[in-house]
Amino acid sequence: MISQNNYVFLARPRRFGKTLLVDTLAEIFQGNKKLFKGLAISKKKYDWQSYPVIRIDMSKPDLSSPEALKDSLCKMLQKICKSFKINPSNLMDTTSPKTFLSSVIEELSVSGQKVVVLIDEYDYPVISHIHEGEKVASSFLQVLQQFYLALKVNSNYIHFLLLTGVTQLALTTIFSGLNNLKDISYLPRFSDLLGYTQKELETNFKKEIIRGAKSNSLIQRSFLNKVKEWYDGFRFSTKKLSVYNPSDINQFFQDGATFKTYWISTGTPSFILKLLSKYPKFDLQQELKNPRSNFFEHGVLDLDAKISEDDIISLLYQSGYLTVTDINDKGKYFLDFPNKEVRYSFTNYLTSALYNKKINFFDSYTYIADYLIDGNPRKFVENLDSLFKSLSHPTQKYQENAIGLAISTILSLSQNIDVENQIHSGKGITDIVAITKDTIYIMELKVNGSAKKALDQIKNKEYANLYKNKAKYKKKKIVMMGISFNSKDA
């Protein structure tokens, strides 16, 4: 990355190690070779020349207004001047973020030495306001466009530039003129740049894995399989390679290998949940049924146009809520939640919003899932029916989406049920599959339709074949469930 590209952009979800990458690169460019003794880079032909490093974290400024952002950027540049012993009074206009940054770069380059610029969370001021509408978000974008213009103006003085963030805003717009900015976000060779691969997990956490397996009363392989189901699955290129969120794994082992949500509670990009509340017609379950073309290439968000359903899907992917699960032989991309933790957390958050309930409202209805564990699907449906009749529903047209999310949330709360949604078979897509110790429940949902029609769909499209043909499911009983809800009773 350092030797082949001078201007680099990298998008990754929150809490994925972007800041640690910035810290590491800062030490490398400051020539601190001793910190990397024994590591791969110490054996490379790298000159370890020391450069002035300008680091800017765009999640730190005051974002209460565009003007507050401008003032905060200037204050950050004041601190940078202090660290380099630059007297701001000797510079040009220090009230304009763009001019101030330009002056700092020029001052550091006065002896012919080029500078390194590392900007972390470059998009944070924009995405923090995206739920307030394109107009508000654009007002912050305009401030960033002016600020980042200093990078173009002073490109001759910059040895290396890295920008990290969550979203792919229209880079050609925000960095107008920086035509050589290389987006490495979804290139196969960088797919495991951040995050732990399965091999890295098993190599670097050997002691923790032994202790974790013991504390969970599992053999090591079963323990690792469960860790994978809960925390693996993030995929960042066409390469069939997934990674774990590093923050997740670190907290998981620090917490004694307790299986619960970590990333979602510390790194939740709340902007996307707030944005979804502005789009009540958005049906995620339906959207996940649709294969997509050129997904990695077309994930750019353009605030000059109204945010579309495709934009929301891209934001869900870039935020870490969704991932690419398959690419078929026609080049079509299929998306789903990356793992059990994200599925549970997202459906819990979104379902609570759809039904205007507090987070964790559905926690008190875990007893409904127990009926499936006990082998009583009829009682399961009866209790679901009672629950939905007691709730205030969203618009009738979108009840099936809300009901599907609510059922998935309730099932996901159970430690003894594995939940799968929108499973692609050869002839169609299954709504919900709940897998207990001895039974596989295949569910098709209808609103104001026929339960028999739903059941016939499962049979005619042979949804069960996907499980009949897998060795690990051969001893499990398969139960097909056509479930219909009447919106008039809601």
Side-chain angles (χ1 to χ4, degrees):
M1 180 173 74
I2 295 175
S3 60
Q4 295 183 4
N5 304 291
N6 288 338
Y7 298 84
V8 180
F9 170 75
L10 175 68
R12 285 294 183 271
R14 291 266 179 267
R15 306 290 290 175
F16 237 93
K18 297 190 297 295
T19 300
L20 181 58
L21 175 64
V22 168
D23 292 341
T24 303
L25 289 174
E27 297 296 341
I28 291 172
F29 283 116
Q30 287 168 346
N32 294 325
K33 184 178 180 180
K34 61 183 179 180
L35 296 178
F36 300 88
K37 185 178 180 180
L39 300 179
I41 192 171
S42 66
K43 302 169 187 176
K44 300 285 185 181
K45 292 182 179 180
Y46 181 68
D47 59 13
W48 292 96
Q49 182 178 343
S50 179
Y51 297 89
V53 177
I54 297 174
R55 293 185 54 186
I56 299 173
D57 185 345
M58 296 302 293
S59 69
K60 301 300 184 184
D62 181 351
L63 302 178
S64 56
S65 69
E67 287 303 317
L69 172 59
K70 289 179 184 178
D71 291 341
S72 289
L73 289 174
C74 289
K75 289 176 182 177
M76 291 173 71
L77 291 170
Q78 292 276 0
K79 291 182 179 179
I80 290 171
C81 283
K82 186 176 181 180
S83 69
F84 285 108
K85 297 181 180 179
I86 296 173
N87 186 349
S89 62
N90 294 333
L91 304 180
M92 295 175 63
D93 184 4
T94 56
T95 62
S96 162
K98 174 203 161 188
T99 307
F100 199 165
L101 178 58
S102 290
S103 297
V104 171
I105 293 173
E106 290 173 12
E107 182 70 17
L108 290 173
S109 305
V110 72
S111 62
Q113 173 77 297
K114 289 190 174 184
V115 305
V116 169
V117 181
L118 307 174
I119 299 180
D120 199 11
E121 305 291 359
Y122 89 103
D123 55 342
Y124 192 85
V126 175
I127 63 174
S128 295
H129 292 275
I130 203 167
H131 63 282
E132 298 176 50
E134 293 86 348
K135 186 175 181 180
V136 174
S138 291
S139 66
F140 286 86
L141 178 62
Q142 289 169 14
V143 176
L144 295 187
Q145 286 173 323
Q146 283 298 307
F147 183 60
Y148 294 143
L149 189 59
L151 303 176
K152 172 194 172 183
V153 173
N154 294 280
S155 58
N156 290 335
Y157 302 122
I158 297 175
H159 170 70
F160 181 86
L161 167 68
L162 171 70
L163 298 114
T164 78
V166 170
T167 62
Q168 289 176 290
L169 296 175
L171 298 179
T172 54
T173 300
I174 197 168
F175 300 112
S176 177
L178 273 178
N179 299 323
N180 52 349
L181 184 64
K182 180 70 172 178
D183 184 356
I184 66 170
S185 303
Y186 306 122
L187 297 181
R189 64 180 296 233
F190 295 108
S191 57
D192 59 348
L193 174 62
L194 300 181
Y196 298 139
T197 63
Q198 187 68 33
K199 182 179 179 180
E200 289 169 337
L201 176 77
E202 296 185 31
T203 300
N204 298 308
F205 292 91
K206 288 181 179 179
K207 292 181 180 179
E208 290 82 359
I209 289 169
I210 292 171
R211 286 196 295 265
K214 186 177 180 179
S215 66
N216 283 276
S217 301
L218 295 169
I219 62 172
Q220 283 191 39
R221 184 45 53 189
S222 296
F223 173 71
L224 284 169
N225 287 339
K226 189 171 182 179
V227 173
K228 188 176 183 66
E229 290 174 1
W230 269 81
Y231 304 115
D232 189 21
F234 297 93
R235 183 174 172 181
F236 299 113
S237 78
T238 55
K239 186 177 180 180
K240 200 171 184 179
L241 175 71
S242 62
V243 294
Y244 293 82
N245 181 292
S247 176
D248 248 359
I249 293 301
N250 295 340
Q251 291 182 77
F252 170 70
F253 284 122
Q254 287 173 10
D255 200 26
T258 301
F259 287 93
K260 64 180 185 180
T261 60
Y262 295 100
W263 169 75
I264 208 79
S265 60
T266 59
T268 303
S270 57
F271 77 90
I272 192 67
L273 296 171
K274 293 176 181 176
L275 178 63
L276 282 172
S277 68
K278 304 290 184 182
Y279 289 79
K281 295 182 180 182
F282 179 74
D283 186 342
L284 179 60
Q285 300 296 336
Q286 183 60 43
E287 287 294 324
L288 291 182
K289 295 178 182 179
N290 302 327
R292 297 169 190 280
S293 301
N294 303 320
F295 181 73
F296 290 124
E297 294 85 351
H298 294 166
V300 176
L301 178 64
D302 187 353
L303 292 178
D304 288 335
K306 183 175 175 59
I307 295 174
S308 67
E309 292 180 344
D310 282 341
D311 289 331
I312 294 176
I313 289 294
S314 292
L315 285 170
L316 285 170
Y317 172 78
Q318 292 167 13
S319 303
Y321 286 117
L322 297 178
T323 198
V324 171
T325 55
D326 191 24
I327 304 173
N328 67 18
D329 54 5
K330 296 180 180 178
K332 298 291 186 180
Y333 292 69
F334 293 93
L335 305 178
D336 204 346
F337 298 104
N339 54 48
K340 189 170 184 176
E341 180 206 30
V342 176
R343 180 189 300 279
Y344 158 64
S345 300
F346 181 81
T347 54
N348 199 2
Y349 273 85
L350 185 55
T351 306
S352 299
L354 282 170
Y355 287 98
N356 196 27
K357 300 293 183 182
K358 292 182 179 179
I359 299 299
N360 299 326
F361 167 80
F362 288 93
D363 287 15
S364 59
Y365 291 93
T366 54
Y367 71 89
I368 297 178
D370 291 341
Y371 288 115
L372 291 185
I373 297 171
D374 296 337
N376 195 339
R378 187 175 296 277
K379 202 71 175 174
F380 169 77
V381 174
E382 288 175 0
N383 278 266
L384 279 180
D385 188 48
S386 297
L387 169 62
F388 288 122
K389 285 179 179 177
S390 69
L391 296 173
S392 57
H393 282 266
T395 308
Q396 287 187 7
K397 185 176 181 181
Y398 306 105
Q399 277 190 351
E400 188 171 322
N401 172 39
I403 287 173
L405 284 169
I407 294 174
S408 294
T409 298
I410 291 168
L411 293 172
S412 297
L413 287 167
S414 174
Q415 289 284 329
N416 299 309
I417 297 179
D418 289 325
V419 186
E420 299 178 351
N421 298 76
Q422 308 302 319
I423 307 304
H424 296 262
S425 65
K427 297 183 178 181
I429 301 173
T430 312
D431 281 340
I432 299 174
V433 177
I435 303 174
T436 68
K437 183 179 180 181
D438 51 20
T439 307
I440 300 172
Y441 296 95
I442 300 175
M443 305 180 198
E444 184 65 29
L445 309 178
K446 300 293 180 185
V447 173
N448 299 331
S450 163
K452 182 180 182 303
K453 185 177 179 181
L455 188 59
D456 288 342
Q457 182 174 327
I458 297 174
K459 294 176 181 178
N460 295 336
K461 296 195 175 183
E462 301 176 346
Y463 292 156
N465 285 358
L466 189 64
Y467 300 92
K468 288 178 181 177
N469 299 329
K470 289 187 178 180
K472 69 175 181 177
Y473 296 130
K474 280 191 175 179
K475 293 183 179 180
K476 293 184 185 289
K477 179 173 65 175
I478 295 178
V479 175
M480 293 177 278
M481 300 174 62
I483 306 175
S484 176
F485 296 91
N486 189 341
S487 64
K488 295 178 181 178
D489 295 333

